[in-house]
Amino acid sequence: EDPKTLQAMHTLAICLAQMKRLLEAQQFFQRCLEVKERTFGVDHRSTFASMNCLALVLDENKRHSEAEPIHRRCVEMASKIFGPENEHTLAAETNLALCLCSLSRSEEALPLARHSLEVKERT
């Protein structure tokens, strides 16, 4: 699809999420993600943006088990696209940590949260 159409779809999904119309937002983010993966590839910053938003909408809708693997992929993508200590990567790690906490897996979340803090204190 056309990049302008994809951007419009992504923006619509963000608006729907802000209105708490989470199922609709999820569907648009999922559709955006699928098209962006085909159009731009799986390791593109625009693909990352839609994947990250999809995971956050799933979290917002208390669907943490579904969100977790997407958050993990976001961390991998962000590290590859932006670098391991970039703010986008750290935000993705923080999102994964919060998701893990919501799944009562705080011990697993702790190293991610610590890493993010250490990097932010250094930079």
Side-chain angles (χ1 to χ4, degrees):
E1 293 203 24
D2 178 68
K4 290 178 184 177
T5 304
L6 288 171
Q7 183 58 47
M9 190 183 310
H10 186 90
T11 301
L12 174 61
I14 290 171
C15 291
L16 290 166
Q18 289 177 345
M19 296 169 62
K20 302 297 184 200
R21 293 168 59 178
L22 301 176
L23 184 57
E24 290 175 89
Q26 177 191 334
Q27 292 167 342
F28 276 104
F29 282 130
Q30 184 66 49
R31 188 168 155 212
C32 273
L33 177 59
E34 291 166 2
V35 174
K36 286 180 178 182
E37 285 178 335
R38 284 193 314 271
T39 305
F40 303 125
V42 293
D43 289 323
H44 188 276
R45 62 183 56 228
S46 184
T47 305
F48 166 79
S50 290
M51 183 176 289
N52 189 56
C53 288
L54 173 61
L56 292 172
V57 164
L58 288 168
D59 274 331
E60 182 73 18
N61 207 21
K62 309 293 185 223
R63 295 170 66 182
H64 306 296
S65 294
E66 292 175 62
E68 180 198 351
I70 299 170
H71 281 301
R72 288 189 184 281
R73 178 68 180 127
C74 285
V75 171
E76 293 171 15
M77 287 175 73
S79 185
K80 187 173 183 178
I81 295 167
F82 305 109
E85 295 189 352
N86 179 276
E87 63 184 287
H88 296 294
T89 306
L90 298 176
E93 285 182 351
T94 299
N95 292 339
L96 173 58
L98 293 171
C99 179
L100 291 168
C101 286
S102 295
L103 291 166
S104 300
R105 292 164 53 193
S106 298
E107 289 297 322
E108 197 175 337
L110 193 59
L112 294 165
R114 279 200 174 123
H115 176 256
S116 181
L117 176 61
E118 289 168 4
V119 172
K120 288 178 181 179
E121 287 179 334
R122 251 193 348 260
T123 56

